[in-house]
Amino acid sequence: MDKTTTLLLLLFALLLTTSLSKDLCHKDDKNTLLKIKKAMNDPYTIISWDPKDDCCTWYAVECGNATINHRVTSLDISNDDVSAQIPPEVGDLPYLEYLIFHKLPNLTGEIPASITKLKYLRYLWLSWNSLTGPVPEFLSQLKNLEYINLSFNKLSGSIPGSLSLLPKLEFLELSRNKLTGSIPESFGSFKGVVYALYLSHNQLSGSIPKSLGNLDINQIDLSRNKLEGDASMLFGAKKTTQHIDLSRNMFQFNISKVKVAKTVNFLDLNHNGLTGSIPVQWTKLDLQTFNVSYNRLCGRIPQGGDLQRFDAYAYLHNKCLCDAPLQSCK
């Protein structure tokens, strides 16, 4: 074989390779994405999607590697004023791991059941929208979910207890909705190791399940609901909790013997009906945020540690608390 023939063969191989690698995007995924774009009335953030281009290069889209034939694994449409609903076609991206619709204030309607087809979905972030309807029971079918954020919407109804069945769930954020009813009893026995539980700014009521005391949650926020009764089971010296916010509820329990984990740096219990006195053990905490105002606490504020770092505002409107930063005890 002469040099000319060899060069021609190499050139042909190079052209063939270039041709084959020109468009990594799977044609089914490209067609689905274009349907989503059309169904959402061509949002400005993805208006640049061109059918002539490789969809793996499109803004808001990411694809996997060659082992899954470069299928679409992430879709992130955020910060747009588009008026639309979540297209059911999102369920036709079978390899999707990350689905994000964030800060779309005119995104309305319910969460479509078609997402149950997304068997690889790990990350569901649908926050700061105007979604309505319930927190779907069918989310419990998505066994690879690790992160759920449905905050800042207009979701209503009760929290499905079946979410506790998700074996890999680490983060659940349902704050700033219109959720009612009680916290599910099953939340005391999550199949996974839950790192954070945010249920604040809803209309949840009733007592919290005693079984929640079985959990060692790093961050828990139940603030601004209508929860009542005992919440002392959420505390424990041997836990690794860092953030506890129970403020603006109707909890009633004696805090005198409540041991707080040394890891806690955020503790907000204001506007409840807590009784007893502040434990001396709390002086050992490295607190960044602390508030026990508007309760029924009494007795001397323990001196030392971080408790005096906070001004009177953190202690006001209790029954008979005294000593720094309040007035001296008589």
Side-chain angles (χ1 to χ4, degrees):
M1 186 181 297
D2 58 31
K3 291 183 177 180
T4 303
T5 305
T6 302
L7 287 171
L8 286 172
L9 287 172
L10 288 172
L11 181 61
F12 176 77
L14 180 62
L15 289 171
L16 181 61
T17 302
T18 303
S19 175
L20 289 173
S21 62
K22 183 178 181 182
D23 196 342
L24 296 176
C25 178
H26 193 282
K27 61 180 178 61
D28 291 343
D29 289 350
K30 176 179 281 189
N31 289 335
T32 296
L33 289 168
L34 290 172
K35 289 178 182 178
I36 290 172
K37 181 173 181 278
K38 182 179 180 181
M40 295 188 71
N41 303 310
D42 294 324
Y44 177 77
T45 52
I46 59 173
I47 202 168
S48 61
W49 288 4
D50 188 334
K52 297 177 184 177
D53 297 333
D54 180 358
C55 80
C56 291
T57 67
W58 287 354
Y59 181 79
V61 175
E62 292 183 13
C63 295
N65 56 31
T67 59
I68 59 170
N69 298 314
H70 304 286
R71 300 300 295 263
V72 171
T73 57
S74 176
L75 177 62
D76 178 357
I77 300 176
S78 301
N79 298 290
D80 200 299
D81 62 357
V82 62
S83 296
Q85 297 188 3
I86 299 176
E89 287 85 358
V90 296
D92 297 327
L93 296 169
Y95 285 84
L96 205 64
E97 296 181 24
Y98 297 84
L99 178 59
I100 304 170
F101 289 99
H102 175 60
K103 287 195 174 180
L104 306 175
N106 297 313
L107 187 71
T108 59
E110 299 189 6
I111 300 170
S114 61
I115 70 170
T116 56
K117 295 187 286 184
L118 303 176
K119 301 304 181 185
Y120 296 102
L121 194 66
R122 297 166 49 202
Y123 195 96
L124 180 64
W125 187 359
L126 309 176
S127 67
W128 291 81
N129 303 305
S130 294
L131 299 176
T132 55
V135 175
E137 187 90 35
F138 57 67
L139 292 181
S140 62
Q141 298 177 36
L142 297 167
K143 301 301 183 184
N144 282 303
L145 272 180
E146 301 170 11
Y147 179 102
I148 299 174
N149 188 341
L150 308 180
S151 63
F152 288 88
N153 279 290
K154 300 176 181 178
L155 301 175
S156 58
S158 59
I159 300 173
S162 58
L163 294 179
S164 65
L165 300 175
L166 291 168
K168 298 181 180 181
L169 187 65
E170 297 177 359
F171 187 102
L172 180 60
E173 164 65 287
L174 303 177
S175 298
R176 304 263 182 177
N177 280 289
K178 300 178 179 179
L179 302 176
T180 55
S182 58
I183 298 174
E185 181 72 35
S186 61
F187 274 25
S189 54
F190 277 99
K191 297 297 182 183
V193 180
V194 176
Y195 173 86
L197 179 64
Y198 290 96
L199 305 178
S200 72
H201 292 78
N202 280 291
Q203 299 167 28
L204 301 175
S205 59
S207 300
I208 62 175
K210 290 184 179 180
S211 57
L212 279 185
N214 299 329
L215 303 181
D216 185 5
I217 301 179
N218 185 274
Q219 301 172 33
I220 184 164
D221 187 350
L222 307 180
S223 64
R224 292 180 184 266
N225 281 289
K226 301 175 182 177
L227 297 166
E228 58 188 34
D230 188 6
S232 61
M233 78 289 291
L234 299 177
F235 300 88
K238 295 182 180 181
K239 295 189 177 186
T240 58
T241 312
Q242 292 186 341
H243 181 116
I244 302 176
D245 192 345
L246 307 180
S247 62
R248 294 181 183 270
N249 279 286
M250 297 182 287
F251 290 122
Q252 294 183 349
F253 60 95
N254 189 315
I255 69 168
S256 300
K257 297 183 180 180
V258 168
K259 296 289 181 67
V260 177
K262 292 181 180 180
T263 49
V264 169
N265 56 41
F266 185 110
L267 182 59
D268 194 344
L269 307 176
N270 79 78
H271 285 82
N272 280 287
L274 307 184
T275 58
S277 57
I278 298 174
V280 174
Q281 186 258 343
W282 292 15
T283 62
K284 299 178 182 179
L285 304 178
D286 183 13
L287 294 167
Q288 304 301 316
T289 298
F290 178 74
N291 196 332
V292 291
S293 63
Y294 290 89
N295 280 289
R296 301 174 190 167
L297 302 177
C298 203
R300 184 185 300 273
I301 297 172
Q303 301 298 294
D306 285 339
L307 293 184
Q308 277 67 50
R309 285 183 56 235
F310 304 95
D311 59 23
Y313 174 79
Y315 299 94
L316 290 175
H317 299 282
N318 274 285
K319 188 176 180 181
C320 51
L321 278 181
C322 60
D323 224 336
L326 299 179
Q327 292 182 350
S328 299
C329 298
K330 295 179 180 179

